[in-house]
């Protein structure tokens, strides 16, 4: 039985970030990863740093604040960690072809501008100015933010882990958590397949397995799973210097839902084109499908002209784990003493700030930012 | 020796001999050249596996990039060019 | 989507044999091959250019096979120059091809699938192995059959396995200059294996004839030696050959330099398991030979219902075994589809008996040619491990140390090894071994996850209507 201050469960972008920031405090921390660092959803995300999500759940000031802060933290993260994450502030463009979306987005932009966020709504002409080779048929305009950018998600978790290891944190791989012993609402033990820990705190950063882990402690985390497929091409000559997302008019999916199947494309540092994606509701596996692969290839080609001979090297997918209202689930879980939630949909953008907030919460008892709207209680309030 | 139809192809502006049914790689190798492409770190590479899986022999053929010359047949007058992967980096010059 | 009885992926000896058996029972299989000529690597339909005519043994087998095939080929749908890039849900075969100048993807819903995609040559990195002028044995063998001019080219053949002799003979016939043949295995070992080798008189006799031819041309065969480094100014100019112990570890002080500008080096073959992995078939690891192969029963059925495997893609035993395995799958598929006559059932058992004999020979060859652990000792910090992404041994060591990496896919994510065009076909062969050696752990480092497409395909083929 190993006594430790904190057990962080899940070696993805959130868990590794939490472990890193905790390693800078005098709290002892062990990161428990079931397989390999970054082997969960962390390895199959688009890698966007985005601030334009407010279209989907309205502007929540506390969320806006932590998003801004996280994006700011990225500016110096590589230097601090001493590890490359291929971070670039490329600017993010969301091209819109849907009337309603354009209207909503214009409203969102003006609200964000009032809060001093660097974002603009562009008309068609201005959009084409930014991306001269854009396929402009049906384009109404775009929202553009200089704050947005990208990282290589494959390197992010490991970069945090390297930093944590330098600060003498313990990182365990290939050792899934098998059970959690909770007595009288207190954590007694966390048992992995090879070890037993007696932590004061447990951080549930298990991403798509967060609910499974929570259940071991007799609680839960309400998440909806949604698979997103991606395809990657061989390196090509410089074609794109920013991330472009395309929002088309809504369509009906095969189960009758009205969905907006947006498409993203960006060019990675090595020259590969990364294209996404799909929204495969309730698929909690990492398969890719014939229909998904073809759909992405077709839609990506509707954004900018793509040479038909560019070779696709691989298709892969990751599972988005989305809390019901889209907002992160962070903070103490009152149902079990010492249990801390760190589960969110927008992991890449929020990883640094989430890591810092959870670390501060555990170290000082108070989070460094207002997370009252992210507590898990909100799902259980009558 | 057979009497197969002989013709010329162009490789980086130079005319070299090829024969009907021969792959571009074999024609280039017959001309004495072994370096087919330049990598991001400016090193030359040439055919390795001879069966279309290693992609070391890739060149631009008639404007189409990344064609495996060891599985592409030479055609009369086809234009073959050495690829320079340093151009993939543009002005960034990082190898990530 | 078109529905078909059976799809055979790969038109080599195994695929052709399978199609013969299936068509005999009234089935109409679809035979798909990447090349414009059937026959795989050895038994090509028509000889390319001026390549040497097959030897008597090979000729007999080839004639028999193609004679049978030609009587039924009008009943099969043969798709050439088409590459199967994925098998979805265990029964949808997607292949890409060029039709009317356009890249398209075609999908077939198959009741049964036979995967007969062959093997890939085994490589072990050494310093300078990426220089132009260095080939795999099979690679040079293919190219030499089409190359017409060898002036100024001086060859050295190295590695281990029967293919070295085949290549040497083709080079001799082509009039190329061979400096030496360098075989890692020792003469004593070959002699010790001879009881197993004589079980297949045909190939053995060819081996002797090849050796005789090599001696006649006064080409030295150096045994118990390997290439430990190659150098040159952006192309091969010299190689260093070193004596090795029985584990093929270089014995320092025995280095000898050869000025050659062409080198072919390889260590026999391993099954290419891309498609079988994509299908979700279970694979087994052969600890002795250090490679993965797909698990199959005596009907050559994999663990995925309806998916069969045959040929060098199943187990590397050469083309006579590939033909036998192909026949078995053709019979087994016919049986599963309810069209196999009673006598056919016992044919499967007969073929399995034939295979047992061939297995003895095949195992002996593998013993002599599979790469041994000592070879990895020659790898230096600057040796490139991932050819495509130019990742060196030093890069990998650093990544493993600073991130406690024990899994190949984790290493792939942080170093980019395996992310290039070859999709990990080369570095994937030895990167697990490198992790094990560096971390000194017994735990399984795993294999690179195989993803669609199993080989790169152009975007256009995904844009169909």
């Amino acid at each position: 039985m190993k006594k430790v201050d904190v057990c962080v469960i899940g070696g993805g972008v959130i868990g590794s970030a939490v472990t890193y920031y905790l390693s800078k405090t005098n709290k002892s921390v062990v990161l428990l990863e079931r397989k390999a660092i970054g082997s969960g959803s962390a390895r199959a995300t688009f890698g966007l740093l985005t601030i334009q999500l407010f279209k989907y759940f309205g502007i929540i000031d506390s969320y806006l604040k932590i998003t801004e802060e996280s994006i700011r933290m990225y500016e110096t993260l590589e230097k601090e960690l001493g590890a490359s994450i291929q971070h670039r502030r490329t600017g993010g463009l969301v091209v819109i072809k849907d009337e309603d979306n354009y209207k909503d987005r214009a409203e969102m932009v003006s609200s964000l501008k009032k809060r001093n966020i660097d974002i603009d709504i562009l008309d068609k002409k201005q959009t084409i100015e930014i991306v001269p080779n854009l396929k402009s048929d049906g384009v109404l305009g775009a929202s553009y933010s200089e704050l947005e950018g990208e990282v290589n998600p494959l390197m992010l978790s490991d970069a945090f882990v390297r930093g944590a290891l330098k600060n003498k944190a313990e990182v365990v791989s290939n050792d899934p958590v098998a059970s959690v012993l909770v007595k009288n609402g207190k954590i007694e033990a966390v048992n992995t397949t090879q070890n037993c820990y007696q932590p004061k705190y447990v951080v549930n950063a298990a991403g798509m397995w967060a609910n499974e882990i929570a259940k071991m402690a007799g609680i839960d985390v309400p998440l909806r799973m949604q698979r997103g497929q991606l395809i990657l091409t061989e390196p090509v000559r410089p074609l794109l210097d920013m991330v472009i997302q395309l929002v088309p008019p809504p369509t009906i999916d095969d189960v009758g839902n009205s969905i907006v199947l947006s498409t993203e494309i960006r060019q990675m540092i090595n020259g590969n084109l990364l294209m996404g994606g799909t929204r495969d509701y309730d698929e909690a596996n990492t398969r890719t499908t014939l229909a998904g692969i073809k759909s992405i290839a077709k839609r990506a080609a509707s954004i900018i002209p793509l040479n038909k001979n560019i070779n696709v090297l691989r298709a892969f997918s990751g599972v988005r784990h989305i809390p019901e209202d889209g907002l992160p689930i962070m903070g103490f879980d009152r149902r079990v003493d010492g249990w801390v939630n760190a589960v969110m949909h927008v992991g890449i953008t929020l990883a640094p700030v989430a890591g810092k907030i959870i670390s501060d919460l555990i170290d000082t008892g108070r989070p460094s930012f207002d997370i009252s709207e992210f507590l898990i209680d909100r799902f259980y309030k009558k | 020796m057979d009497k197969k139809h002989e013709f010329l192809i162009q490789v980086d502006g130079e005319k070299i001999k090829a024969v009907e049914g021969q792959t571009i790689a074999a024609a280039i190798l017959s001309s004495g050249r072994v370096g087919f492409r330049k990598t991001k770190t400016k090193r030359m590479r040439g055919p390795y596996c001879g069966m279309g899986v290693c992609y070391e022999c890739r060149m631009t053929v008639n404007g189409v990039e990344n064609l495996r010359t060891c599985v592409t047949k030479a055609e009369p007058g086809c234009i073959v060019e050495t690829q320079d992967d340093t151009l993939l980096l543009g002005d960034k010059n990082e190898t990530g | 989507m078109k529905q078909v009885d059976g799809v055979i992926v790969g038109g080599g000896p195994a695929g052709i044999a399978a199609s013969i058996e299936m068509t005999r029972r009234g089935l109409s299989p679809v035979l798909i091959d990447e090349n414009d000529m059937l026959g795989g690597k050895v038994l090509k339909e028509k000889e390319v250019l001026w390549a040497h005519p097959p030897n008597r043994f090979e000729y007999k087998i080839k004639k028999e096979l193609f004679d049978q095939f030609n009587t039924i080929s009008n009943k099969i749908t043969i798709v050439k120059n088409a590459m199967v890039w994925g098998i979805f849900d265990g029964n949808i075969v997607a292949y890409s091809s060029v039709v009317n100048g356009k890249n398209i993807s075609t999908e077939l819903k198959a009741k049964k699938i036979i995967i007969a995609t062959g093997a890939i040559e085994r490589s072990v990195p050494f310093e300078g192995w990426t220089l132009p002028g260095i080939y795999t044995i099979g690679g040079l063998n293919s190219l030499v059959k089409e190359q017409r001019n060898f002036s100024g080219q001086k060859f050295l053949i190295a590695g281990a396995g029967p293919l070295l002799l085949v290549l040497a003979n083709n080079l001799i016939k082509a009039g190329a200059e061979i400096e030496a043949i360098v075989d890692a295995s020792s003469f004593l070992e070959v002699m010790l294996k001879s009881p197993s080798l004589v079980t297949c008189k045909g190939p053995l006799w060819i081996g002797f004839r090849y050796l005789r031819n090599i001696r006649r041309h006064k080409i030295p065969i150096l045994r118990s030696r390997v290439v430990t480094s190659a150098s040159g100014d952006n192309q091969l100019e010299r190689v260093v050959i070193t004596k090795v112990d029985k584990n093929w570890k270089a014995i320092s002080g025995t280095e000898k330099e050869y000025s050659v500008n062409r080198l072919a080096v390889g260590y026999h073959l391993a099954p290419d398991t891309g498609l079988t992995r994509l299908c979700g078939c279970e694979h087994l690891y052969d600890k002795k030979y250090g490679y993965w192969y797909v698990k199959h029963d005596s009907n050559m059925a994999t663990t995925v219902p309806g998916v069969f495997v045959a040929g060098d893609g199943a187990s590397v035993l050469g083309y006579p075994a590939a033909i036998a395995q192909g026949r078995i799958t053709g019979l087994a598929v016919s049986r599963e589809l309810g069209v196999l006559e009673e006598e056919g059932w016992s044919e499967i058992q007969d073929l399995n008996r034939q295979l047992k004999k061939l297995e003895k020979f095949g195992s002996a060859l593998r013993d002599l040619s599979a790469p041994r652990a000592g070879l990895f000792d020659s790898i230096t910090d600057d040796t490139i491990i991932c050819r495509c992404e130019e990742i060196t041994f030093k890069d990998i060591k650093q990544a493993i140390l600073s991130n406690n990496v024990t899994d190949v896919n984790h290493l792939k994510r942080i170093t980019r090894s395996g992310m290039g065009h070859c999709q990990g076909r080369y570095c994937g062969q030895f990167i697990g071994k490198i992790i094990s050696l560096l971390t000194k752990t017994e735990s399984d480092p795993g294999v690179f996850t195989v993803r669609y497409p199993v080989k790169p395909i152009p975007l256009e083929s995904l844009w169909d209507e």
Side-chain angles (χ1 to χ4, degrees), chain A residues 43-262:
Chain A
R43 63 160 186 75
T45 111
F46 205 70
L48 284 193
L49 301 186
T50 176
I51 201 153
Q52 298 191 50
L53 278 181
F54 297 90
K55 158 81 195 62
Y56 300 103
F57 44 66
I59 295 179
I60 293 166
D61 279 299
S62 58
Y63 185 73
L64 183 59
K65 258 199 131 139
I66 64 172
T67 302
E68 266 190 289
E69 174 64 12
S70 212
I71 290 179
R72 206 175 302 143
M73 288 171 83
Y74 265 110
E75 297 290 320
T76 51
L77 195 59
E78 265 170 325
K79 196 156 173 226
E80 184 179 336
L81 297 176
S84 170
I85 55 174
Q86 292 182 0
H87 168 245
R88 288 191 295 186
R89 187 135 74 89
T90 56
L93 187 74
V94 179
V95 177
I96 309 142
K97 291 188 174 182
D98 175 56
E99 294 275 0
D100 288 331
N101 197 297
Y102 191 57
K103 251 184 257 147
D104 291 343
R105 214 164 263 275
E107 269 172 45
M108 169 196 73
V109 168
S110 92
S111 303
L112 288 173
K113 275 178 104 79
K114 286 199 191 97
R115 290 162 171 83
N116 292 316
I117 302 294
D118 187 354
I119 187 168
D120 284 297
I121 191 86
L122 310 173
D123 62 25
K124 180 168 179 169
K125 184 160 161 280
Q126 291 167 319
T127 306
I128 297 171
E129 260 165 42
I130 292 197
V131 187
N133 56 344
L134 185 73
K135 285 189 168 177
S136 55
D137 262 3
V139 170
L140 302 168
S143 54
Y144 176 72
S145 174
E146 276 282 353
L147 291 174
E148 299 193 328
E150 60 187 41
V151 293
N152 187 335
L154 301 179
M155 303 169 88
L156 189 58
S157 315
D158 281 277
F160 278 123
V161 163
R162 266 177 78 169
L165 287 172
K166 276 193 204 147
N167 296 337
K168 310 283 190 272
E170 200 188 330
V171 174
V172 177
S173 300
N174 285 309
D175 196 7
V177 169
S179 64
V180 176
L181 197 55
V182 172
K183 256 198 192 140
N184 302 322
K186 276 176 109 94
I187 305 164
E188 293 266 311
V190 170
N191 301 311
T192 64
T193 56
Q194 294 166 44
N195 277 299
C196 305
Y197 299 90
Q198 200 175 50
K200 296 199 189 113
Y201 302 94
V202 166
V203 177
N204 186 356
M208 65 183 272
W209 297 278
N211 194 34
E212 266 174 55
I213 296 293
K215 283 208 190 120
M216 290 181 190
I219 52 179
D220 69 343
V221 177
L223 296 169
R224 183 131 186 237
M225 301 298 159
Q226 190 196 87
R227 184 180 64 198
Q229 301 181 43
L230 298 160
I231 67 178
L232 189 90
T233 72
E234 62 189 354
V236 299
R237 273 182 239 199
L239 193 63
L240 262 184
D241 56 9
M242 70 177 70
V243 181
I244 303 183
Q245 291 176 77
L246 175 69
V247 178
T251 47
I252 310 289
D253 72 5
D254 353 286
V255 287
N257 296 314
S258 166
I259 57 162
V260 170
L261 201 49
S262 61

Side-chain angles (χ1 to χ4, degrees), chain A residues 245-376:
Chain A
Q245 291 176 77
L246 175 69
V247 178
T251 47
I252 310 289
D253 72 5
D254 353 286
V255 287
N257 296 314
S258 166
I259 57 162
V260 170
L261 201 49
S262 61
T263 309
E264 299 86 40
I265 184 169
R266 72 179 175 98
Q267 186 162 24
M268 304 184 72
I269 274 182
N270 286 8
N272 311 73
L273 292 172
L274 179 63
M275 310 167 182
T278 61
R279 291 190 185 283
D280 309 327
Y281 283 97
D282 302 322
E283 293 282 357
N285 56 68
T286 57
R287 288 195 283 268
T288 49
T289 63
L290 182 60
I293 294 168
K294 285 188 173 183
S295 165
I296 296 168
K298 265 183 271 200
R299 287 184 281 125
S302 72
I303 302 180
I304 51 167
L306 293 174
N307 188 314
K308 62 185 182 173
N309 291 307
I310 294 176
N311 288 307
V312 174
L313 292 185
R314 51 188 169 271
F316 51 101
S317 71
V319 179
R320 301 179 181 94
H321 29 92
I322 310 174
E324 231 173 68
D325 53 7
L327 292 173
I329 301 177
M330 285 202 281
F332 284 116
D333 195 316
R334 277 197 263 260
R335 297 170 292 180
V336 174
D337 210 9
W339 193 271
V340 183
N341 291 306
V343 184
M344 58 210 78
H345 169 197
V346 189
I348 299 293
T349 306
L350 296 175
V353 79
K356 184 87 179 33
I357 287 171
I358 302 297
S359 165
D360 287 340
L361 182 66
I362 291 174
D363 189 34
T364 68
R366 276 167 307 123
S368 29
F369 285 84
D370 176 15
I371 55 168
S372 53
E373 306 201 65
F374 313 137
L375 299 173
I376 200 167

